[in-house]
Amino acid sequence: LKRAIFAIGSTRVVLVDQLKAACLGADISFDGPDGVALASIGAGVSEFGILAASELVYHHSVRVGGDQMNWAIQGYLRRQWNLGIGERTAEKLKLSFGGAEIMPGDESHSLTVAGRDLLNGVPKKSSINRRVVREAISEIVQTITDGFATALEMVPPELAGAILSKGIILVGGGAELPNIDAVISRRLRLPVRIAPSPSLSVIRGMG
């Protein structure tokens, strides 16, 4: 990676851990000894870490994120609706109707998408409601929350105070999924708050 960056003309390269960058970008201080707990839901990986004394002192990750939600939507519509859609359409459905849990009235909100009828191979338009999208990604949401729960179980006792006193800060594009903070909070039995502009925190922290 460094060689590639030098090749385009850079004269100095500093590699920054993604969770540290997210803290910096969200203006979260982690230079004290007590530390801060951070959870990040990115495109292809979800991470949990504790940062203290300006360093990442604990880290756990699962290879699941927003991309897998898109694939789950594609797979669900393929299996249940015999409808083939592209990843861009799946992304559109996720951004429009995605959510961490099914809510009353989800069936009343629909979006028409174009795809391919897998039974006869012809183009087809279908009206997909919000409940369908949230059902499609529910297993991915579960995997992410279970991953964070596993991470908590392995946190060294001396670092537990950072979580108990301050809760968990959520960053990454997946943090913008409606109700994801509430679902994680219930699963972990800890307070969870979303950082300002969570999808931009890493980019800002690396600037």
Side-chain angles (χ1 to χ4, degrees), residues 55-200:
E55 296 294 336
L56 180 65
V57 295
Y58 174 78
H59 177 261
H60 179 85
S61 66
V62 290
R63 303 296 299 182
V64 179
D67 288 344
Q68 285 75 15
M69 293 183 193
N70 295 343
W71 303 337
I73 294 170
Q74 288 178 285
Y76 188 92
L77 293 181
R78 186 169 55 248
R79 293 188 305 272
Q80 302 295 328
W81 290 59
N82 293 310
L83 179 67
I85 62 170
E87 191 166 349
R88 283 191 296 179
T89 301
E91 173 84 2
K92 180 180 179 180
L93 284 169
K94 180 185 70 178
L95 295 177
S96 299
F97 284 164
E101 56 187 342
I102 296 171
M103 304 293 288
D106 279 348
E107 296 90 343
S108 62
H109 301 272
S110 298
L111 182 68
T112 299
V113 299
R116 182 165 58 89
D117 189 323
L118 298 179
L119 294 179
N120 54 34
V122 300
K124 175 183 178 180
K125 285 187 176 181
S126 295
S127 181
I128 309 299
N129 67 53
R130 183 184 290 166
R131 182 184 180 91
V132 168
V133 177
R134 294 185 174 186
E135 284 181 350
I137 66 174
S138 60
E139 289 188 9
I140 304 300
V141 172
Q142 183 71 47
T143 299
I144 291 171
T145 55
D146 286 349
F148 291 155
T150 298
L152 277 178
E153 293 172 0
M154 297 188 293
V155 169
E158 61 270 21
L159 299 177
I163 306 172
L164 293 173
S165 62
K166 301 177 183 178
I168 298 169
I169 301 171
L170 195 58
V171 299
E176 297 181 344
L177 194 71
N179 301 321
I180 188 65
D181 53 334
V183 169
I184 294 173
S185 180
R186 287 199 302 268
R187 177 69 173 85
L188 304 184
R189 300 181 182 179
L190 288 166
V192 175
R193 65 182 176 90
I194 300 173
S197 302
S199 61
L200 300 176

